[in-house]
Amino acid sequence: MLKEKYKNSKLYYLEHELLGKYTVTFFGIFLIILTICLVTFIATKGLATFFNNHYSPIEFLFSTVWKPDRGVSKGGPAIGTLIFIVGSVSVSLLALIISTPLSVSIAIFMTEISPKLGKKLLQPAIEVFTGIPSVVYGWVGLSVLVPLIRANFGGLGFSLLAGSLVLSIMIFPTIASVSADAIRAISRDYYEASLSIGATRWQTIWKIILPSAMPGILTGVVLGLARAFGEALAVQMVLGNTIRIPHSIVDSTVNMTSIITMDMGNTAMGTVWNNALWSMALLLLIMSFLFIILIHKIGKKGVSK
Amino acid sequence: MNKLIKSITLSMVLAISLTAALAGCGTKNETDTGSDISGSVTAVGSSALQPLAEKAAQMFMDKNKDANIQVQGGGSGTGLKQVSEGGADIGNSDVYAAEKLPEDKAKALVDHKVCVVGFATVVNPKIKVDNLTKQQLIDIFSGKITNWKDVGGDDMKVVIINRPSSSGTRATFKKYALDGAEEAEGKALTEDQSGTVKKAVAETDGAISYLALSYIDKSVKTLKYEGVEATVENITSGKYPIWSYEHMYTKGKPTGAVKAFIDYMTSSDFTSSISEMGYIPNSDMKISRDK
């Protein structure tokens, strides 16, 4: 009797319905507010270089002169970031070139060639790779990769090549698992139809499976690129951070995230130098927005097919 | 529909209050000038001073149970900025405030020199050179000398390993060892951490860099500067010029727990710990510097 009464009471409704609803709505809205705050914060900080210090965006983006510590009497501070942009783009693209064939091959192997081995061995192995902190990748790169490159390819070891190799290992789990999911999502009808008209297994994979999974694979590649672009610590440890545009892959160079992490702690907020670092952070944010938009575009294309 | 609006409104209120609560989490010091020291102090900044400040905080809190000292890193610039804006009670820095902050802001800060730290030129152990003159060092770091044979060593390429241009250590080295000469840009590797610098110098043939004395061990070779070895005795007597003060800045005159903590760091009780950790106590210095 009492139980029945409780069940109809407002308290029961609150406990079993409203509480859950309010909690999830609260966190949902909290996340939206947080995102808006974050973007606004970085944007106001990053735009200060152009609105408060009156530097031109053209100079910021296309000048290679980075002398933020130069005195005003000598014509400074100069905050051209082209070297860092070139560094970021080249190290990420090279990582992608190394990583994509590897990742897609692994994805094909674990879905089409040997699904059993894939589920039992490869999937957990890939998960191990995602769990390793980036400082460990950096440290291994510094201790193993750098001396190896120095001995075999010349140069100092700290190089574009070392950075891209470390990055390619870091982004391969992303590309491989997204690609594998995309391949698994393809209807088995395609596969069987192809075999029934006499195609071999490899022909089927190459001509049917891969093209149908392409939007998913591309999504993985873009996600990998976004990760490579934003990664800071591991790359910074092996890149050498020489402020110049690299002429070969064994040259050391520097990227945007490295210069931000190296200088942020030592520059006082509100100075031109610090504002320039925030502008670079804003640039990274804009890049990641572009990547996200690209992923959505690719995803839509896949659906409409 | 009404319910949806109600739930959204409620959630908004919750979200805003949580944000406000998070924002209000900063510590405020409640200082008490009574005989027993209590209250909380935050010291932020220089990572070079951080280990020593942490040690001091620990020992200070053992003595004064009601005191709460928090030490954070973040770099000299952050320390100066935080103390200047009231975000921290103490700003730790390797360099004078005037070098990092606008003039009017630097003037509002009070400098407390807590100790001295020395820096040495370090090279890869395979390099046979033992001594470099100031001019040789300037020529190496400005990119004029690119081979060790030009300064009496083997035929080996010079590999410069720098700290980032914002680093306090680099600023000190540039000022006192290189006479302010502009370092070669686009030729030097740059490493952010003293530990990584040490590893890179130890493993790279022909490498040259500079480190705080508290970081140096057997894996790298230290060079004499103008024939003078980088030792504590030579620094205190003024023979060896590459050293800087470690500063603790406060906004205005310190009071209460902040004053007590800074006094403790420079007190005779703490002197032995300063020496133990590779820094030099002020009391040992026979010379002083203004700038």
Side-chain angles (χ1 to χ4, degrees), chain B residues 49-148:
Chain B
L49 185 58
Q50 197 181 354
L52 189 70
E54 274 169 359
K55 172 96 179 169
Q58 203 185 358
M59 288 169 71
F60 185 77
M61 284 189 280
D62 284 345
K63 282 193 169 176
N64 305 284
K65 300 286 181 210
D66 293 333
N68 177 26
I69 318 275
Q70 286 195 18
V71 180
Q72 291 161 26
S76 301
T78 305
L80 289 168
K81 168 76 178 174
Q82 288 294 326
V83 70
S84 164
E85 296 210 324
D89 303 309
I90 299 172
N92 299 335
S93 171
D94 308 350
V95 293
Y96 284 90
E99 293 176 35
K100 286 272 186 191
L101 293 179
E103 208 175 310
D104 52 320
K105 281 185 177 170
K107 270 191 185 143
L109 299 180
V110 179
D111 186 6
H112 309 270
K113 293 167 182 154
V114 290
C115 65
V116 166
V117 65
F119 299 92
T121 315
V122 293
V123 292
N124 184 272
K126 282 185 201 156
I127 289 165
K128 297 220 174 74
V129 178
D130 290 313
N131 177 47
L132 285 176
T133 65
K134 181 192 270 184
Q135 195 54 49
Q136 284 173 330
L137 206 58
I138 292 173
D139 287 348
I140 286 175
F141 275 93
S142 61
K144 267 187 214 144
I145 293 179
T146 53
N147 197 305
W148 282 106

Side-chain angles (χ1 to χ4, degrees), chain B residues 116-121 213 216 222-225 227-243 278-280 285:
Chain B
V116 166
V117 65
F119 299 92
T121 315
L213 290 181
I216 288 169
T222 56
L223 292 189
K224 286 182 197 155
Y225 179 73
V228 184
E229 224 171 310
T231 59
V232 172
E233 293 72 41
N234 286 336
I235 291 172
T236 55
S237 64
K239 278 185 203 153
Y240 183 84
I242 316 171
W243 55 271
Y279 303 82
I280 302 168
M285 294 300 289

Side-chain angles (χ1 to χ4, degrees), chain A residues 244-292:
Chain A
R244 65 164 171 211
I245 289 179
H247 297 294
S248 79
I249 57 168
V250 292
D251 271 358
S252 66
T253 183
V254 62
N255 67 354
M256 286 197 269
T257 47
S258 300
I259 201 80
I260 293 174
T261 52
M262 284 195 299
D263 280 353
M264 201 53 112
N266 281 314
T267 53
M269 281 186 212
T271 55
V272 173
W273 196 341
N274 193 267
N275 286 343
L277 296 177
W278 280 108
S279 305
M280 258 191 277
L282 179 65
L283 191 61
L284 281 170
L285 190 71
I286 293 169
M287 293 297 286
S288 75
F289 277 153
L290 291 180
F291 287 137
I292 291 168

Side-chain angles (χ1 to χ4, degrees), chain A residues 56-65 79-83 85:
Chain A
S56 82
I58 306 287
E59 188 199 338
F60 176 76
L61 288 174
F62 299 108
S63 160
T64 55
V65 186
I79 50 163
T81 59
L82 186 65
I83 293 174
I85 297 171

Side-chain angles (χ1 to χ4, degrees), chain B residues 113-236:
Chain B
K113 293 167 182 154
V114 290
C115 65
V116 166
V117 65
F119 299 92
T121 315
V122 293
V123 292
N124 184 272
K126 282 185 201 156
I127 289 165
K128 297 220 174 74
V129 178
D130 290 313
N131 177 47
L132 285 176
T133 65
K134 181 192 270 184
Q135 195 54 49
Q136 284 173 330
L137 206 58
I138 292 173
D139 287 348
I140 286 175
F141 275 93
S142 61
K144 267 187 214 144
I145 293 179
T146 53
N147 197 305
W148 282 106
K149 71 176 183 218
D150 294 340
V151 288
D154 293 339
D155 183 8
M156 194 185 268
K157 229 184 122 200
V158 174
V159 178
I160 306 165
I161 298 173
N162 255 340
R163 298 291 296 276
S165 43
S166 58
S167 147
T169 303
R170 173 156 161 176
T172 303
F173 192 78
K174 186 175 169 181
K175 192 167 165 189
Y176 298 116
L178 304 178
D179 260 357
E182 281 241 337
E183 289 154 279
E185 208 59 86
K187 283 189 178 129
L189 297 175
T190 312
E191 293 298 340
D192 188 21
Q193 311 291 333
S194 295
T196 328
V197 168
K198 192 164 72 183
K199 190 177 167 69
V201 171
E203 290 179 359
T204 311
D205 288 351
I208 182 168
S209 188
Y210 40 86
L211 279 171
L213 290 181
S214 46
Y215 276 102
I216 288 169
D217 62 20
K218 286 268 188 294
S219 67
V220 292
K221 178 177 169 181
T222 56
L223 292 189
K224 286 182 197 155
Y225 179 73
E226 295 276 344
V228 184
E229 224 171 310
T231 59
V232 172
E233 293 72 41
N234 286 336
I235 291 172
T236 55

